[in-house]
Amino acid sequence: MKRRYALLALASAFSAPLPAHPLDGASMWVDGDARGEGEARPMVKVRPGAQAHPPAETAPSGKSPALFMTVFQENGTRQVTLDAPARHTAGLESGARRRGAWTVALGYRRETLDFNIAGPDGVPNILSELEWEVDMAEIRVNGEWLADNGFFMTGELAYASGFAGEERDSDYAFDNRHGEFSRSYAKSHGSTDSRVSLGLGWRFPPRRDVGITPMLGYTYQEQDLRSRKGRQVISTSDLTPFPGPFHGLDTHYEPRWHGPWLGLRVDAHLAERFGLRLGVKRQWFAYHADADWNLRDDFEHPRSFTQHGHSRGWQWEVGAHWRLSPQSAITFSLERHTQRLRNGTDRTFFADGQSSTLRLNGVNWDSWAASLGYRMDF
C-alpha cells in the first residue's frame, strides 16, 4: 500500500516563531484504504516552532498577518490559506476603536434655591427671604468624542420637571431675621430646570475608557421656580393676607446662570466590562433673574423685579458603566452642584412706573441628582 507524506508549515509576515496554535505538535495519520485502493491520503503533521516564511502578499494594515500551509508532494508543492483562530478579545478591540458615544439617562434631581434682600439703605439687613425645595424628574442626553491624538469633546442637554416641593416666603422688620411679620408657604411643583453644557479637553493617554482629561467649557442654565396654592401662617393686619389658604397665587421666579468652567475628568477601566468615571468642575457664572409676583397689584407685570450678580460654584460627579456589548453599556451617575452669589442688585418695578434698587445679599443654589442610562458607542 502506497503512502505519501506532507509537511504543514505555518507562516506569517514575521520571521519569529508563531504563537502556539491549537494544532501545534499534533499528528494525524490517515490510512489510504479509508478512501479506497489507490487513493492514499497524505499524512499531515504540524511541526512546533515552525519558522515563518514571508507570504506572497502582506496583510492589510490593522489586520492579522495571513496564515498559510505549504504541502510538499511528489509532483511539487502547493499553498493553502488558513483561517486564523478568532481571538477572545475581538469584541473588546472593536470597542476600543470606537471613539464616540451617546448616552440617554433618566433620573431624580433635588434642588434647593434661596435668596434674601436688604431693605432701603440696608435697613433691615434682611428684609425678605425666599426658599424653594423641589423634587424633579430629569432626562439627560450626553455626547462625547475622542480623537486619535487625544483631543476630547463633550456636550450635555438636560431637562428636569418638578413633581413635588415647597416654597417659603418670610419678611422681617428688624436686622438678623428678627421681627418676622409675614410668613407663607406654597407648592413648588411644576418648576423646571433646563441646561446645556459644552466642553473641550485633552486626554492622557488617548484611550477610550482609561485616561485623565483636563477640560474647559461653557454652561447655560435656566430655571422657572413656581409658587402656587399659597397658605399664610404669620399675618400682620393691613400688610398681609389673613392666616389660612389664599387663592390665585401663581408666581414665577426665573433665574439664569451662564459662564465658563474648568474641569478634570478621570476614567478607569477596572474590569473587562466595568468602568468608573470621576469628575470635578470649577464654575464662574453670571446671574440674572426675572420675577412676576402676580398677586401684588402695586408691582408691574409680567416683570415685577429683576436680580443681577456673579456667582462661583462647584460640580462633582461619580459615574460608572457596565458594558453589555462592544457597542452598548448601562450607566449610573451621581452629581452634586453648588452656586454661591454675594452682593448683587435687586431692582423692583412698580405699577406707577417707578422703580427702586435694593441690595441682593445672596443667592444659594444646591442640587444633587442620580440617574440611570443607556450608552451607545460609535
Side-chain angles (χ1 to χ4, degrees):
M1 183 183 303
K2 183 179 178 181
R3 296 181 184 273
R4 294 185 299 172
Y5 300 88
L7 174 63
L8 173 67
L10 297 180
S12 70
F14 307 96
S15 59
L18 291 173
H21 189 277
L23 297 179
D24 222 7
S27 297
M28 179 174 66
W29 298 81
V30 180
D31 193 339
D33 290 340
R35 301 183 59 193
E37 189 64 32
E39 295 183 9
R41 187 177 177 183
M43 180 276 290
V44 178
K45 183 174 183 179
V46 180
R47 183 176 62 194
Q51 294 294 319
H53 300 278
E57 297 182 0
T58 59
S61 176
K63 297 185 178 180
S64 301
L67 300 178
F68 66 94
M69 72 175 178
T70 302
V71 180
F72 297 88
Q73 296 177 315
E74 293 178 354
N75 59 349
T77 62
R78 62 187 178 94
Q79 291 186 351
V80 179
T81 302
L82 301 177
D83 291 332
R87 298 183 180 181
H88 71 280
T89 59
L92 297 180
E93 291 176 352
S94 175
R97 289 193 296 269
R98 299 177 186 275
R99 293 298 187 177
W102 289 104
T103 302
V104 179
L106 300 175
Y108 167 81
R109 179 172 293 276
R110 171 78 169 184
E111 290 198 352
T112 301
L113 185 144
D114 68 81
F115 76 84
N116 68 81
I117 60 175
D121 299 323
V123 181
N125 59 3
I126 298 178
L127 171 65
S128 183
E129 185 171 45
L130 290 90
E131 179 180 12
W132 286 263
E133 294 181 350
V134 189
D135 299 306
M136 294 181 158
E138 183 178 50
I139 180 170
R140 287 189 292 166
V141 179
N142 299 79
E144 59 184 49
W145 174 263
L146 177 64
D148 291 337
N149 61 359
F151 178 71
F152 181 77
M153 297 186 297
T154 182
E156 178 184 74
L157 292 172
Y159 177 81
S161 179
F163 59 85
E166 189 173 63
E167 176 259 349
R168 169 180 166 167
D169 184 350
S170 293
D171 297 319
Y172 305 95
F174 307 112
D175 286 349
N176 303 319
R177 299 183 177 88
H178 292 300
E180 185 176 10
F181 63 87
S182 175
R183 183 193 301 175
S184 64
Y185 293 94
K187 300 297 183 181
S188 59
H189 62 276
S191 300
T192 61
D193 187 327
S194 305
R195 182 175 69 256
V196 57
S197 182
L198 299 174
L200 305 175
W202 212 275
R203 178 166 295 181
F204 306 96
R207 296 177 59 185
R208 184 72 180 86
D209 290 326
V210 180
I212 299 175
T213 312
M215 294 187 295
L216 59 87
Y218 196 91
T219 294
Y220 178 85
Q221 181 168 345
E222 186 174 286
Q223 297 162 292
D224 181 5
L225 301 176
R226 305 188 66 178
S227 301
R228 294 184 287 189
K229 299 182 179 180
R231 176 171 53 93
Q232 192 77 27
V233 296
I234 296 179
S235 177
T236 299
S237 177
D238 298 329
L239 293 177
T240 67
F242 293 107
F246 56 92
H247 304 287
L249 180 66
D250 188 14
T251 66
H252 293 256
Y253 180 72
E254 301 174 350
R256 295 189 293 276
W257 316 75
H258 59 92
W261 52 264
L262 293 177
L264 183 68
R265 170 171 157 172
V266 178
D267 293 82
H269 190 67
L270 303 182
E272 183 178 356
R273 293 180 178 269
F274 180 72
L276 187 67
R277 181 181 71 257
L278 304 175
V280 61
K281 296 176 183 177
R282 180 58 166 166
Q283 301 161 325
W284 296 267
F285 287 167
Y287 182 80
H288 177 86
D290 293 321
D292 181 14
W293 261 216
N294 73 305
L295 293 185
R296 291 288 300 265
D297 294 334
D298 56 332
F299 284 175
E300 184 180 280
H301 302 289
R303 187 181 63 165
S304 301
F305 64 87
T306 63
Q307 295 176 343
H308 299 271
H310 292 84
S311 70
R312 296 183 179 183
W314 293 92
Q315 177 181 338
W316 297 271
E317 180 184 11
V318 178
H321 72 264
W322 179 264
R323 189 167 290 283
L324 303 175
S325 72
Q327 298 83 26
S328 63
I330 295 295
T331 65
F332 176 76
S333 69
L334 291 173
E335 288 186 358
R336 177 88 167 102
H337 297 250
T338 65
Q339 286 291 327
R340 299 291 182 263
L341 180 152
R342 297 293 179 265
N343 298 322
T345 59
D346 177 289
R347 187 177 183 186
T348 303
F349 302 93
F350 296 100
D352 61 4
Q354 302 293 315
S355 66
S356 68
T357 300
L358 303 175
R359 184 179 73 235
L360 175 62
N361 293 322
V363 180
N364 304 298
W365 176 60
D366 293 273
S367 175
W368 72 269
S371 64
L372 186 67
Y374 179 74
R375 187 174 102 177
M376 299 161 285
D377 294 351
F378 60 90

